[in-house]
């Protein structure tokens, strides 16, 4: 190395301070001095890079990363610039070879001593799944109790970003305590399996809306009673009983309650509050209902004669339904079934109501204790104060849904139902104790009769109460040690050290000595185990992973949870480290239903699906999307099911950018303009030949995530494609003013970006980002196709419009009118950095799909980060190319890529 070439500061740092540094060959310094340092020096610092003061100590990660950028940009032909003196190909090849060899040697030496990955804890997804599997309690919802996980290389799997604070430890202990109480509640309740029909007429949340009240005077928000298809005005106004009850079983089966609007997601108006799950577990759910049609012309009847407070008869309102004039349904309506329990609402099923009364079985669902269910007519509107109207109301009327009953079978039990309790306390009996005695409290569902004396007398009311319990042990010390040994053997992912067992036994003994009950003492021990390093942290040593670490890595990769008993047995025997066994286990895990956890967690970070609700469609420009949860949910499902299909069928990676199929239901198909898809269920749909859909880039989920709800930005969308699909990292922007889209529609974002790219500090990155972003300009903030931008008309009501552009007028899902004008036309053409032009997104996708090597390379890198918990390093590149070479004959199939990764040294070494 020639130290005389360095600046004084670099000379001191490199030649005196860091004798253990890696020396770069003179050929590297000669090349950079000759072709690079004229711009990238301590004065000019073009691109914020100063090569003259860059140290040569490759143990410094920031310097190492900078040398990698130098390697990549020169290797790609981006540097030196075309207008500058450029070396011949042989000189550049020699430089690249020398720099690559030096960087690889240094990187591999560091990996040999430390490994690729740093020690890390379980992230929130993994911890939740670990407790679910350990306690056989798949219904547990605890991830929301933790602080958000940090991210590195776009994933929540890398130790450097997964810090541990006192807050984390407190939350781990609280979550563990909650999870164990849930498992004990199942044991304590011992609820027998029954099949119970909950009639709509018995649900106060439905029947209390038959007539208006001071908080709800609009017929659109009311419900109405039917007998078969006939309205029951007398029942609605209270002159006849709500139900015939057991007096007339035949009529009882025909009684129904109807409505014309949808639910508030956070409130859920039309819910079955007469049912509350008595205990957490599996239940089979059936609904019986049908569609109806309501005529317009409703009268808000505060009193039976339809007069207002001063006795004046109110005229019919043609914008509201007349519940005395109903007829058989003319539509089929998609119904989405949600759970309801405070603010924690989960989608658990869907079906389609038809004009004919039908029973719909949504199958088995997991319910938490005290949860109820809500059938939501997802196409109907969700009225928002104050002057709202039903967008589905026509001159002939509006669609309505009617339900007769909901039938619940459960809780359904099997050998796993009480497995959580058996793991914690074996066959020791659990018993109720005095409320002021020793023990712990369990959340249990109290049942009783409503005693309001009104029309709903006798209705069941259920709410959580606290019941104190204890476990009976004749020999607490011996039972504690026996139970702890069994528990730790299951909880820890490798053999348990005797010292660890004794540590937690001692903790339980200490609690018993100070007068705690047996169950309290054991909870202290178990909670400590579930917050201990042996449970929370991964245990990996530099070099080849042993069987236990390999089993953990494989399971966290494909199940996002710890290994099961079969995988642990193979780890203990040493068989898992054999290539054939490892391949077979990879197949088993991919085929198991728990692989859904991998699909969801991987897409949450690679595609950023977890951010789907980070933006809300503007009520000014996009009120037609506002509150449309069924569209958003279908968009997420499309992405998840597409990826699942690619893994299952070993589909080529080019399907990431373009495919001849996708997954749709009626709502999403309507959004995409694809005919012939009916119903709420998602299904595989062959796309028309000229469809712009197919592949992740043009899916509504991605297009919503990369917009802000009001406008779209080619920069944001283009950066997303370049980084997430093509695998090219874009550096942070220089300190220049950001481009703010013009929502008036007077200037397009393309016109604004042309001025922005005139800044040389911005041009190099924008030449990569903007073209892919322009290709997606044909899609609005929710992924709908557009030929023109929407603009907000700034004219005040009553003023003459200054523009002559066509005005679009409609009523949003919130019941409020909206309007916008069609502004400037969309231009989706662009030119790639290599000069290839495209005129629209179809041509752009066709270009990308022909280059499946880069697509496969990027997906391999993304999967490697997720699978190994380590960023992709410079020296990993050679092995990545080996993985790709091995799966090229499989057309770069996604399942083959996963197998190639698992079989690689990158996966099987720390």
């Amino acid at each position: 190395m020639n130290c005389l070439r360095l600046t004084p500061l670099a000379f001191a740092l490199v030649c005196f301070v860091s004798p253990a540094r890696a020396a770069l060959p003179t050929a590297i310094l000669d090349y950079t001095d000759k072709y690079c340092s004229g711009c990238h020096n301590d004065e000019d610092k073009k691109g914020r890079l100063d090569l003259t003061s860059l140290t040569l100590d490759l143990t410094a990660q920031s310097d190492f990363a900078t040398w990698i950028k130098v390697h990549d940009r020169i290797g790609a032909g981006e540097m030196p610039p075309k207008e500058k003196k450029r070396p011949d190909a042989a000189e550049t090849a020699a430089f690249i070879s020398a720099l690559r060899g030096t960087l690889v040697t240094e990187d591999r030496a560091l990996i040999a001593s430390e490994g690729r990955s740093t020690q890390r804890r379980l992230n929130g997804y993994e911890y939740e799944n670990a407790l679910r599997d350990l306690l056989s309690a798949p219904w547990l919802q605890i991830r929301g109790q933790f602080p958000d996980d940090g991210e590195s290389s776009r994933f929540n799997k890398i130790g450097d970003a997964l810090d541990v604070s006192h807050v984390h430890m407190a939350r781990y202990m609280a979550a563990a305590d909650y999870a164990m109480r849930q498992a004990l509640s199942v044991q304590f309740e011992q609820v027998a399996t029954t099949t119970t029909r909950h009639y709509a007429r018995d649900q106060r949340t439905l029947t209390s809306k038959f007539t208006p009240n001071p908080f709800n005077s609009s017929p659109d928000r009311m419900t109405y009673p039917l007998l078969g298809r006939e309205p029951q005005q007398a029942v609605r106004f209270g002159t006849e009983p709500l139900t015939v009850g057991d007096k007339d079983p035949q009529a009882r089966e025909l009684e129904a309650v109807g409505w014309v609007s949808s639910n508030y997601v956070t409130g859920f108006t039309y819910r079955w509050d007469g049912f509350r799950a008595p205990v957490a577990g599996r239940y089979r759910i059936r609904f019986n209902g049908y569609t109806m049609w309501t005529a317009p012309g409703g009268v808000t009847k505060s009193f039976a004669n339809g007069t207002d407070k001063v006795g004046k008869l109110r005229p019919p309102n043609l914008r509201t339904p007349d519940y005395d004039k109903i007829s058989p349904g003319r539509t089929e309506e998609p119904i989405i079934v949600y759970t309801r329990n405070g603010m924690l609402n989960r989608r658990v099923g869907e079906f389609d109501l038809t004009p004919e009364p039908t029973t719909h079985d949504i199958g088995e669902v997991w319910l938490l204790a005290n949860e109820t269910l809500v059938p939501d007519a997802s196409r109907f509107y969700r009225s928002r104060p104050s002057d709202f109207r039903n967008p589905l109301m026509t001159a002939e009327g509006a669609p309505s849904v009617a339900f007769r009953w909901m039938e619940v079978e459960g809780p359904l039990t099997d050998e796993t139902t009480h497995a959580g309790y058996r793991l914690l306390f074996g066959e020791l009996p659990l018993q109720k104790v005095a409320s002021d005695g020793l023990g712990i409290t369990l959340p249990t569902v109290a049942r009783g009769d409503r005693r309001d004396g009104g029309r709903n007398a006798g209705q069941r009311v259920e709410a959580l109460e606290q019941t104190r319990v204890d476990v009976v042990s004749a020999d607490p010390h011996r039972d504690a040690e026996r139970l702890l040994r069994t528990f730790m053997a299951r909880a820890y992912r490798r053999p348990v050290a005797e010292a660890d067992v004794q540590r937690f036994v001692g903790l339980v003994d200490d609690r018993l000595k100070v007068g705690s009950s047996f169950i309290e003492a054991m909870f202290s021990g178990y909670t400590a185990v579930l917050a201990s390093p042996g449970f929370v942290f991964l245990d990996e040593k530099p070099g080849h992973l042993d069987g236990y670490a390999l089993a953990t890595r494989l399971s966290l990769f494909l199940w996002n949870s710890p290994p099961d008993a079969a995988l642990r047995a193979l780890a203990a025997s040493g068989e898992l480290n054999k290539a054939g066994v490892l391949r077979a286990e990879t197949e088993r895990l991919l085929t198991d239903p728990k692989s859904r956890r991998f699909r969801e967690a991987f897409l949450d970070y690679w595609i950023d699906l977890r951010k789907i609700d980070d933006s809300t469609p503007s009520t000014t420009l996009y009120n037609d999307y506002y509150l449309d949860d069924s569209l958003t949910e279908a968009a997420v499902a499309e992405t998840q099911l597409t990826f699942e299909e690619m893994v299952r069928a070993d589909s080529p990676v080019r399907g990431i950018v373009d495919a001849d199929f996708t997954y749709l239901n009626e709502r999403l198909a309507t959004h995409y303009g694809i005919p012939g898809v009916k119903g709420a269920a998602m299904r595989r749909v062959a796309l028309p030949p000229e469809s712009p859909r197919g592949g992740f880039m043009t899916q509504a989920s991605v297009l919503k995530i990369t917009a802000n709800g009001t406008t779209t930005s080619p920069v944001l969308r283009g950066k997303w494609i370049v980084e997430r699909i093509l695998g090219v990292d874009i550096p942070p922007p220089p300190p220049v003013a950001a481009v703010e889209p013009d929502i008036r529609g007077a200037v397009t974002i393309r016109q604004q970006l042309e001025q922005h790219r005139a800044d040389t500090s911005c041009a190099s990155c924008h030449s990569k980002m903007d073209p892919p972003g322009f290709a997606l300009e044909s899609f609005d903030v929710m992924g709908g196709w557009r030929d023109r931008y929407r603009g907000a008309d700034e004219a005040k009501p009553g003023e003459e419009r200054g523009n002559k552009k066509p005005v679009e007028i409609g009523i949003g899902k919130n019941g409020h009118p909206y309007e916008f004008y069609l502004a400037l036309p969309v231009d989706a053409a662009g030119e790639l950095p290599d000069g290839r032009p495209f005129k629209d997104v179809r041509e752009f996708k066709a270009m990308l799909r022909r280059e499946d090597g880069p697509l496969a390379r990027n997906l391999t890198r993304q999967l490697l980060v997720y699978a190994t918990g380590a960023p992709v390093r410079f020296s990993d590149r050679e092995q990545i190319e080996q993985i790709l070479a091995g799966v090229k004959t499989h057309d770069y199939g996604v399942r083959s890529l996963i197998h190639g990764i698992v079989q690689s040294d990158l996966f099987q070494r720390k």
Side-chain angles (χ1 to χ4, degrees):
M1 180 189 64
N2 189 347
C3 290
L4 296 179
R5 296 179 182 273
L6 303 179
T7 63
L9 176 60
F11 182 94
L13 288 172
V14 175
C15 296
F16 292 102
V17 178
S18 181
R21 57 181 167 75
L24 291 174
T26 303
I28 296 175
L29 300 176
D30 288 340
Y31 186 96
T32 56
D33 277 355
K34 187 175 181 180
Y35 298 108
C36 307
S37 298
C39 294
H40 302 292
N41 54 56
D42 56 355
E43 294 183 2
D44 297 317
K45 294 184 179 179
K46 290 290 183 67
R48 292 173 288 176
L49 174 63
D50 176 12
L51 289 175
T52 62
S53 61
L54 183 65
T55 70
L56 307 182
D57 185 358
L58 296 185
T59 61
Q61 288 300 304
S62 60
D63 292 346
F64 194 93
T66 302
W67 281 115
I68 291 175
K69 292 178 182 178
V70 171
H71 172 278
D72 290 348
R73 297 205 65 183
I74 293 177
E78 297 177 5
M79 289 290 165
K82 295 179 180 179
E83 66 272 13
K84 298 290 184 178
K85 178 182 177 182
R86 295 174 67 88
D88 58 40
E91 193 174 2
T92 296
F95 166 78
I96 292 297
S97 177
L99 182 55
R100 181 190 302 119
T102 302
L103 294 175
V104 167
T105 299
E106 179 66 20
D107 201 24
R108 287 179 176 170
L110 186 62
I111 291 173
S113 63
E114 300 179 2
R116 293 179 65 253
S117 59
T118 55
Q119 186 180 35
R120 75 170 180 93
R121 61 170 172 83
L122 299 176
N123 61 40
Y125 291 71
E126 294 163 341
Y127 193 90
E128 179 180 70
N129 288 332
L131 289 186
R132 286 173 172 175
D133 292 353
L134 179 66
L135 299 173
S136 300
W139 64 83
L140 287 174
Q141 306 285 325
I142 62 171
R143 194 194 331 155
Q145 298 183 27
F146 305 133
D148 289 340
D149 290 321
E151 296 174 45
S152 179
S153 297
R154 300 190 189 91
F155 288 96
N156 62 340
K157 292 272 191 172
I158 295 178
D160 293 343
L162 295 174
D163 59 336
V164 179
S165 67
H166 69 281
V167 175
H168 285 91
M169 298 307 298
R171 299 291 174 83
Y172 286 143
M173 297 175 73
D177 182 88
Y178 166 81
M180 291 187 292
R181 289 174 194 261
Q182 288 287 309
L184 264 65
S185 292
V186 175
Q187 176 74 15
F188 178 75
E189 292 284 4
Q190 296 284 333
V191 179
T193 300
T194 60
T195 300
T196 305
R197 187 165 291 181
H198 302 270
Y199 291 94
R201 291 290 183 90
D202 294 337
Q203 312 307 310
R204 186 173 184 274
T205 48
L206 301 180
T207 59
S208 64
K209 300 175 181 64
F210 282 172
T211 54
N213 59 59
F215 304 101
N216 178 30
S217 61
S218 169
D220 279 337
R221 290 182 170 182
M222 296 179 194
T223 58
Y224 63 96
L226 303 94
L227 186 66
R229 291 191 174 95
E230 297 299 320
Q232 293 181 293
Q233 187 185 76
V235 173
R236 184 151 58 102
F237 291 106
T239 58
E240 289 186 6
L242 276 176
T243 175
V244 297
D246 298 334
K247 297 176 182 178
D248 187 346
Q250 187 174 0
R252 173 73 153 164
E253 292 297 316
L254 296 177
E255 291 176 336
V257 177
W259 56 86
V260 299
S261 61
S262 176
N263 282 286
Y264 293 92
V265 176
T266 56
F268 281 142
T269 303
Y270 310 114
R271 61 185 185 269
W272 250 256
D273 266 359
F275 164 76
R276 294 281 174 166
V279 65
R282 288 184 300 121
Y283 296 81
R284 192 171 196 92
I285 308 299
R286 304 175 186 90
F287 285 94
N288 183 279
Y290 49 98
T291 62
M292 293 294 294
W293 189 263
T294 61
V299 177
T300 304
K301 296 186 177 181
S302 299
F303 301 94
N305 358 345
T307 60
D308 61 17
K309 291 183 179 180
V310 296
K312 183 179 179 182
L313 187 66
R314 296 183 179 181
N317 183 351
L318 297 180
R319 290 166 49 176
T320 62
D322 185 344
Y323 293 140
D324 296 325
K325 297 178 181 179
I326 58 177
S327 57
R330 305 180 188 181
T331 62
E332 293 187 3
E333 294 299 334
I335 304 296
I336 311 300
V337 182
Y338 297 93
T339 65
R340 165 66 174 163
N341 187 11
M343 297 295 288
L344 182 63
N345 306 316
R346 299 175 292 114
R347 177 173 176 159
V348 293
E350 65 280 324
F351 59 90
D352 300 298
L353 275 188
T354 65
E356 287 300 317
T358 307
T359 297
H360 301 271
D361 189 332
I362 69 169
E364 295 180 6
V365 303
W366 288 102
L367 297 179
L368 300 174
N370 208 43
E371 277 189 321
T372 187
L373 291 156
V374 181
D376 183 48
S378 63
R379 200 171 69 93
F380 293 178
Y381 83 122
R382 293 171 173 170
S383 59
R384 288 290 190 269
S386 54
D387 185 20
F388 52 82
R389 58 182 297 187
N390 188 345
L392 300 181
M393 176 61 75
T394 67
E396 295 182 351
S400 172
V401 296
F403 285 90
R404 291 176 173 172
W405 45 257
M406 176 184 74
E407 190 172 81
V408 180
E409 180 184 353
L412 306 175
T413 61
D414 57 24
E415 68 279 0
T416 67
T417 302
H418 302 291
Y421 181 83
R422 289 196 300 270
L423 175 65
L424 293 169
F425 294 104
E427 301 303 321
L428 297 180
L430 177 69
Q431 66 179 20
K432 183 177 181 179
V433 297
S435 60
D436 58 350
L438 297 177
I440 66 168
T441 57
L442 298 180
T444 56
V445 177
R447 302 172 186 83
D449 290 336
R450 187 180 299 277
R451 308 228 181 245
D452 59 7
R455 301 182 69 194
N456 300 293
Q459 178 174 316
R460 286 159 59 89
V461 54
E462 302 179 347
L464 284 177
E465 66 177 22
Q466 299 298 317
T467 302
R468 189 168 294 278
V469 298
D470 196 5
V471 171
V472 180
S473 170
D475 192 340
H477 173 78
R478 179 173 296 179
D479 284 338
E481 182 167 346
R482 172 179 58 84
L483 293 170
L484 272 168
R485 284 187 185 278
T486 302
F487 182 81
M488 294 179 68
R490 284 281 306 278
Y492 282 14
R493 297 174 289 278
R494 60 174 56 250
V496 182
E498 182 62 24
D500 288 339
V501 175
Q502 294 306 319
R503 180 181 304 113
F504 294 112
V505 171
L507 174 61
V508 173
D509 284 343
D510 288 344
R511 294 286 292 168
L512 290 170
K513 290 175 182 177
V514 297
S516 296
S517 67
F518 182 71
I519 196 172
E520 289 175 308
M522 291 302 297
F523 259 54
S524 296
Y526 289 145
T527 302
V529 170
L530 297 177
S532 69
F535 184 79
V536 173
F537 282 86
L538 275 60
D539 186 6
E540 299 176 342
K541 303 293 190 299
H544 276 285
L545 300 177
D546 64 20
Y548 297 105
L550 183 59
T552 297
R553 178 170 285 191
L554 181 65
S555 188
L556 290 179
F557 177 23
L558 300 180
W559 283 353
N560 213 29
S561 58
D564 63 359
L567 202 52
R568 292 183 187 209
L570 290 171
S573 67
E575 291 291 303
L576 187 61
N577 293 87
K578 296 179 180 179
V581 175
L582 184 58
R583 175 173 290 276
E585 283 302 290
T586 302
E587 272 298 306
R588 181 175 73 87
L589 267 63
L590 282 172
T591 306
D592 191 278
K594 284 196 288 188
S595 64
R596 179 180 180 182
R597 298 172 177 177
F598 155 59
R599 177 195 75 186
E600 294 177 353
F602 178 68
L603 293 176
D604 267 2
Y605 282 84
W606 175 40
I607 300 293
D608 272 344
L609 274 189
R610 71 192 189 284
K611 298 181 179 179
I612 190 67
D613 291 320
D614 281 6
S615 66
T616 301
S618 165
T619 56
T620 301
L621 289 175
Y622 292 101
N623 203 20
D624 43 341
Y625 299 145
Y626 181 58
L627 299 178
D628 198 344
D629 292 333
S630 62
L631 176 58
T632 302
E633 290 170 355
V636 171
E638 177 191 22
T639 302
Q640 293 175 337
L641 290 169
T642 299
F643 185 72
E644 183 179 88
E645 170 74 2
M646 294 182 73
V647 174
R648 185 197 63 78
D650 200 22
S651 301
V653 293
R654 57 178 171 270
I656 291 172
V657 298
D658 198 13
D660 59 2
F661 76 94
T662 191
Y663 281 82
L664 303 173
N665 64 4
E666 183 174 359
R667 178 65 191 95
L668 190 56
T670 301
H671 183 59
Y672 287 172
I674 297 175
V677 180
K678 300 296 182 182
M682 300 291 292
R683 81 293 308 261
R684 195 180 195 273
V685 176
L687 293 170
E690 295 302 314
S691 174
R693 307 296 173 172
F696 293 116
M697 294 191 307
T698 53
Q699 290 181 348
S701 62
V702 168
L703 295 165
K704 182 180 189 297
I705 289 164
T706 55
N708 64 12
T710 301
T711 59
T712 61
S713 167
V715 177
L716 296 179
R717 283 180 169 173
K719 184 176 186 291
W720 189 94
I721 291 175
V722 169
E723 292 187 335
R724 306 303 175 96
I725 304 299
L726 302 180
V728 178
D729 286 328
I730 300 296
V736 297
V739 177
E740 295 294 338
D742 177 18
I743 67 169
R744 299 170 301 169
V747 180
T748 67
I749 187 69
R750 179 187 289 270
Q751 293 169 328
Q752 293 177 288
L753 285 173
E754 286 174 356
Q755 300 176 0
H756 196 63
R757 285 196 301 272
D759 189 327
T760 56
S761 64
C762 303
S764 62
C765 290
H766 279 275
S767 66
K768 300 175 184 176
M769 297 186 298
D770 294 356
F774 288 142
L776 297 185
E777 278 297 275
S778 294
F779 303 96
D780 63 24
V781 299
M782 194 62 212
W785 182 267
R786 65 185 177 190
D787 295 309
R788 303 178 73 98
Y789 294 99
R790 293 186 183 187
D793 194 343
E794 294 184 339
K796 296 179 180 179
E799 291 183 351
E800 184 177 349
R801 298 181 185 278
N803 64 77
K804 301 299 182 181
K805 302 176 181 67
V807 176
E808 297 288 320
I809 300 175
I811 301 175
K813 200 174 177 69
N814 62 354
H816 288 252
Y818 66 91
E819 65 179 50
F820 58 86
Y821 69 84
L822 298 178
L824 297 172
V826 171
D827 181 2
E831 182 179 295
L832 298 181
D834 60 10
R836 288 180 294 164
F838 58 85
K839 67 178 182 181
D840 56 24
V841 68
R842 296 177 182 87
E843 289 191 359
F844 174 69
K845 291 169 69 173
M847 290 178 178
L848 292 188
R849 77 188 306 272
R850 287 194 292 267
E851 301 174 354
D852 50 4
L855 297 175
R857 184 172 297 107
N858 172 62
L859 182 59
T860 302
R861 292 168 65 94
Q862 303 285 354
L863 287 168
L864 268 171
V865 175
Y866 180 89
T868 66
V872 174
R873 304 176 70 107
F874 186 82
S875 63
D876 296 340
R877 296 181 179 187
E878 181 179 338
Q879 293 186 64
I880 289 175
E881 295 307 310
Q882 292 173 1
I883 294 172
L884 294 174
V887 300
K888 186 174 182 180
T889 56
H890 296 273
D891 211 10
Y892 295 122
V894 176
R895 198 179 192 94
S896 295
L897 275 177
I898 291 172
H899 276 293
I901 288 169
V902 173
Q903 293 292 325
S904 71
D905 267 358
L906 294 177
F907 185 83
Q908 296 184 35
R909 299 178 69 92
K910 179 178 184 297

